Amino acid sequence: MSSPDLKDFQLDFGGIVLGHGTSIPIAEIEGLGRARVRGEVVAQPGADGAWLSPDWYEARTLSIDCAIKTPGAPAAAAQILAGLEAVADEARVRTVGGALMPLRIKWPGSPVRVLFGRMRKIAPTWEKAALGWVPLDLEFVAPHPRFYADFEQQTQLRLGWLSGGGFRAPVQAPIRVTSGNPSGQMRPGWVTNNGDVDTHPVITVHGPCANPVITHVETGRSIDLPVTLAAGQWVRIDTRPGQIRVTRENGGSAPTNSRLDTFVLPPGRSELRWTASDPTATARLTAKWRDAYTSLSDRRISIHR
């Protein structure tokens, strides 16, 4: 199902559009600014002032004060409310730990951005329902406070790109090849995060290959996977906060001793490379990511008064 187009001051939750110009006008939204932080303020013994511990972001909670407005049509209001409740009740999200849903937001001066979380509260007030007016308190909780691009980016790397311009006899299997020519200017493996903060990719390695190693060139961070993949098999590395895991095509897990939470794509253009033992040179790697932002507003846009 395609996502609906949004205008300024509109939100999309599961295909239901809220906000300006809709049947669900919004009076106020709290929680769109800087997310709350947790950290301690410790008094300095025998001295003025205090010591501040590291600040870590808490989950972002949006409190949305809105109402369903269908003048003279209470049944239509009830139907809209039932639609919101049905989306929030999606069992594949509600009953699975770590599973999230998108909340799409369109703010003036910026493209649509997305929070991933769950609708935790839908509280209607029925006093004026007969008039087609049902006030609503909504609460959406995003465990990670970053905003993301509306669309996912993707790149694919094969092991068939050789780093040295060919083979030198004698050749023995397995052949170990890399993802690009270090001297090239437009090597495969360039990835671009158009946001203003690090983003976490989801990487899938498709066999046949053994012992793949994925490296982010600029940071030097690597992911080592001591696995052997036959043709048709794959392993997926999810580095996203709250969803960190390594899974196989059969639903099982795969081992790694690498730090997945620190494997990020920084703002701007950077490069991914990978190596593996592959006797066929047909293995491939797919990386997917969304641009990540600190806020709804694009700070690269200057406002002239």
Side-chain angles (χ1 to χ4, degrees):
M1 186 176 88
S2 60
S3 300
D5 293 333
L6 296 181
K7 299 178 181 178
D8 287 349
F9 298 110
Q10 290 185 346
L11 286 68
D12 164 31
F13 178 62
I16 299 175
V17 180
L18 304 77
H20 183 70
T22 74
S23 296
I24 314 176
I26 295 174
E28 185 178 3
I29 304 178
E30 295 182 359
L32 289 177
R34 185 172 187 256
R36 292 176 61 89
V37 297
R38 50 183 169 83
E40 297 182 1
V41 180
V42 181
Q44 298 261 43
D48 294 332
W51 176 81
L52 297 179
S53 71
D55 287 338
W56 302 102
Y57 285 123
E58 295 182 350
R60 181 185 293 275
T61 299
L62 298 190
S63 298
I64 305 173
D65 180 7
C66 61
I68 301 174
K69 181 181 179 181
T70 55
Q79 186 175 20
I80 292 173
L81 177 62
L84 279 170
E85 293 174 334
V87 175
D89 193 52
E90 175 58 59
R92 289 176 297 179
V93 177
R94 180 176 56 83
T95 64
V96 177
L100 306 173
M101 299 184 69
L103 178 68
R104 303 171 62 240
I105 306 171
K106 178 67 176 73
W107 227 237
S110 295
V112 172
R113 291 185 180 158
V114 184
L115 285 173
F116 288 94
R118 295 184 190 175
M119 191 70 76
R120 303 299 300 272
K121 179 181 179 182
I122 300 178
T125 300
W126 294 101
E127 182 180 358
K128 298 181 180 180
L131 303 177
W133 178 259
V134 181
L136 276 176
D137 284 333
L138 305 179
E139 185 177 273
F140 184 88
V141 178
H144 194 62
R146 301 304 190 192
F147 297 93
Y148 293 92
D150 198 23
F151 297 100
E152 193 174 58
Q153 296 196 66
Q154 174 178 322
T155 190
Q156 185 176 107
L157 297 174
R158 290 192 174 273
L159 276 175
W161 292 302
L162 305 178
S163 61
F167 295 113
R168 179 174 298 176
V171 175
Q172 293 182 343
I175 306 166
R176 192 165 188 86
V177 294
T178 66
S179 61
N181 182 352
S183 64
Q185 294 302 310
M186 290 300 293
R187 295 184 296 274
W190 289 118
V191 295
T192 301
N193 171 12
N194 294 301
D196 54 26
V197 68
D198 295 345
T199 192
H200 294 77
V202 178
I203 298 171
T204 306
V205 177
H206 300 264
C209 66
N211 302 317
V213 178
I214 303 109
T215 301
H216 183 261
V217 176
E218 280 73 10
T219 63
R221 300 195 180 277
S222 295
I223 299 175
D224 301 314
L225 297 171
V227 298
T228 299
L229 303 173
Q233 295 182 331
W234 51 262
V235 61
R236 178 164 297 138
I237 309 105
D238 195 335
T239 70
R240 294 174 297 177
Q243 303 184 65
I244 293 175
R245 60 180 64 89
V246 183
T247 54
R248 292 288 303 267
E249 78 290 335
N250 58 10
S253 60
T256 181
N257 294 321
S258 304
R259 285 278 304 271
L260 302 184
D261 59 318
T262 60
F263 194 92
V264 297
L265 307 180
R269 191 176 74 165
S270 56
E271 186 181 6
L272 289 177
R273 294 183 190 171
W274 75 299
T275 62
S277 296
D278 174 15
T280 66
T282 60
R284 68 187 190 280
L285 174 148
T286 300
K288 298 181 180 181
W289 71 96
R290 289 177 185 258
D291 305 333
Y293 301 87
T294 56
S295 69
L296 281 175
S297 300
D298 193 336
R299 64 186 184 187
R300 292 172 297 182
I301 297 177
S302 60
I303 300 176
H304 301 282
R305 296 184 181 273

